[in-house]
Amino acid sequence: MDGHAAAPGAGTVLNALATGRGSAFALDIETSAHVELDGSGAVSGTIDGQPDADTELIERCVTLAVERWGDDPAAADLPAADPAAVGGTVRTESEVPTAAGLKSSSAAANATVLATADALGLAGIVDHEEACRIGVAAAREAGVTVTGAFDDASASMLGGLTVTDNTADELLAREEVDWAALVWTPPERAYSADADADRCELVAPMARLVETLALDGEYGRAMTVNGLAFSAALGFSADPAVEAMPHVEGVSLSGTGPSVVAVGEPEGLEAVEERWSERPGETLRTETRPTGGRYL
């Protein structure tokens, strides 16, 4: 029994570390997952091109998804309510760079949960919001997130732009946005679980302002205020954002960094790309995506 699915990465409107409220939007870069279930009692994972990478997250996603859906009457005959019956392999491959603030963990979790549903014969049947929460639970158990990252996970799974309460895994708003996007990723990496949450709480007044702007639909302004506040809180330079501001609708540090994402019209992003391409690291032109996780 095998299944295949993919889910996109995302950029940040509001970082949830300060208040538990967050907002993110899907980008047209994907992680794919391939799951084979065999009931062997153990799940083993691999990440393409990263032989030494930690695979606990994707393995937990398979286990939790099978435990949730394996005894569904529509699923394949796998007695998954018994943990010993869970087993198989999962492999992911990705266009989303890891530890770069572009929601690689959420994309991998979502793709894996959907691929597991596919392997159980439930493609197109399981609810995507419920599937998203399984990935969030796995991320918390694997220790790869501070907040649970329901904002990132929901944007990746559902597509469009979402605003969430991560303390309750509650979806507050979702809207489709249509932007061209530019990503700059420096050579260094930053892991979400290592972020200084206490320091981020110091910018909570700005985070509440960002939340208000986002819920009012002023996403570009929200992004930019978020980027300035959290760059300062997390110790990143605001220079890339300042360079972009005259040319774009919004620009922000994405997640806990180090990537910076700008959105707007293609002409404005071209001007920003000229500046950012002079910096160490890589630039990527992409766009927002109205759709989220999908079966392959």
Side-chain angles (χ1 to χ4, degrees), residues 14-71:
L14 169 60
N15 189 313
L17 279 174
T19 66
R21 299 285 181 101
S23 178
F25 54 92
L27 292 169
D28 196 25
I29 48 177
E30 279 191 334
T31 296
S32 60
H34 311 278
V35 171
E36 183 174 351
L37 300 176
D38 58 18
S40 61
V43 179
S44 63
T46 57
I47 298 174
D48 190 56
Q50 301 182 54
D52 298 323
D54 187 346
T55 56
E56 183 179 359
L57 171 61
I58 56 176
E59 291 164 357
R60 289 300 298 158
C61 283
V62 174
T63 298
L64 293 183
V66 174
E67 289 176 350
R68 170 64 184 85
W69 295 316
D71 56 356

Side-chain angles (χ1 to χ4, degrees), residues 153-197:
S154 62
S156 170
M157 181 65 87
L158 304 177
L161 183 151
T162 62
V163 184
T164 64
D165 181 348
N166 285 10
T167 62
D169 290 347
E170 180 183 359
L171 184 65
L172 303 177
R174 178 185 176 274
E175 186 172 335
E176 293 184 7
V177 290
D178 184 15
W179 293 317
L182 175 68
V183 180
W184 171 64
T185 303
E188 64 266 24
R189 290 292 183 263
Y191 291 90
S192 298
D194 296 333
D196 189 340

Side-chain angles (χ1 to χ4, degrees), residues 105-277:
S105 293
S106 292
N110 285 336
T112 300
V113 171
L114 289 182
T116 306
D118 187 25
L120 290 167
L122 298 174
I125 297 175
V126 302
D127 178 76
H128 275 212
E129 194 171 327
E130 180 185 3
C132 174
R133 288 188 172 89
I134 291 174
V136 168
R140 288 187 175 121
E141 291 183 12
V144 299
T145 174
V146 175
T147 68
F150 186 60
D151 51 343
D152 303 341
S154 62
S156 170
M157 181 65 87
L158 304 177
L161 183 151
T162 62
V163 184
T164 64
D165 181 348
N166 285 10
T167 62
D169 290 347
E170 180 183 359
L171 184 65
L172 303 177
R174 178 185 176 274
E175 186 172 335
E176 293 184 7
V177 290
D178 184 15
W179 293 317
L182 175 68
V183 180
W184 171 64
T185 303
E188 64 266 24
R189 290 292 183 263
Y191 291 90
S192 298
D194 296 333
D196 189 340
D198 292 338
R199 183 168 170 81
C200 288
E201 290 176 2
L202 299 177
V203 299
M206 300 307 294
R208 285 190 283 270
L209 171 60
V210 173
E211 180 187 347
T212 298
L213 290 169
L215 289 173
D216 286 344
E218 296 191 50
Y219 304 124
R221 289 179 62 195
M223 280 182 70
T224 303
V225 174
N226 178 86
L228 294 176
F230 281 92
S231 291
L234 292 167
F236 292 102
S237 171
D239 288 351
V242 172
E243 292 170 357
M245 283 181 198
H247 308 286
V248 301
E249 189 167 334
V251 57
S252 182
L253 182 75
S254 196
T256 56
S259 294
V260 179
V261 180
V263 298
E265 297 298 325
E267 296 78 9
L269 294 178
E270 287 177 8
V272 177
E273 188 172 20
E274 288 183 9
R275 296 294 300 272
W276 285 1
S277 63

